[in-house]
Amino acid sequence: MSQLIVTHTDMRSAGYCNRSARIWFSRRGLDWAQFRREGLPIEILERTGDAQVLRLCQRVRDGR
């Protein structure tokens, strides 16, 4: 089974804005530029426990 990657496109399609997302990534020490370029493994984002991010991750798990 391949690793699920959450992409910037996933984030935007869920209605999240770049400005808030950049701040969110910065506060958690996550690399915004890498996320924009490559996405991040879903497990990294789920570990934050953030309710909005968990909803986004569920969308990705459900097939985007």
Side-chain angles (χ1 to χ4, degrees):
M1 180 178 191
S2 64
Q3 184 178 47
L4 280 175
I5 301 295
V6 179
T7 66
H8 182 255
T9 301
D10 295 324
M11 183 201 82
R12 295 296 291 156
S13 71
Y16 300 130
C17 73
N18 282 336
R19 183 173 186 264
S20 295
R22 271 194 309 273
I23 293 167
W24 187 90
F25 271 72
S26 176
R27 288 182 178 162
R28 285 154 184 84
L30 296 172
D31 189 336
W32 171 248
Q34 177 188 358
F35 177 71
R36 293 273 324 255
R37 243 183 357 265
E38 305 166 15
L40 284 174
I42 198 167
E43 293 82 9
I44 290 174
L45 295 172
E46 288 175 329
R47 273 186 247 144
T48 69
D50 182 273
Q52 283 186 299
V53 172
L54 292 175
R55 282 193 295 276
L56 172 61
C57 290
Q58 190 58 54
R59 283 177 55 117
V60 171
R61 286 191 184 282
D62 291 343
R64 293 176 161 86

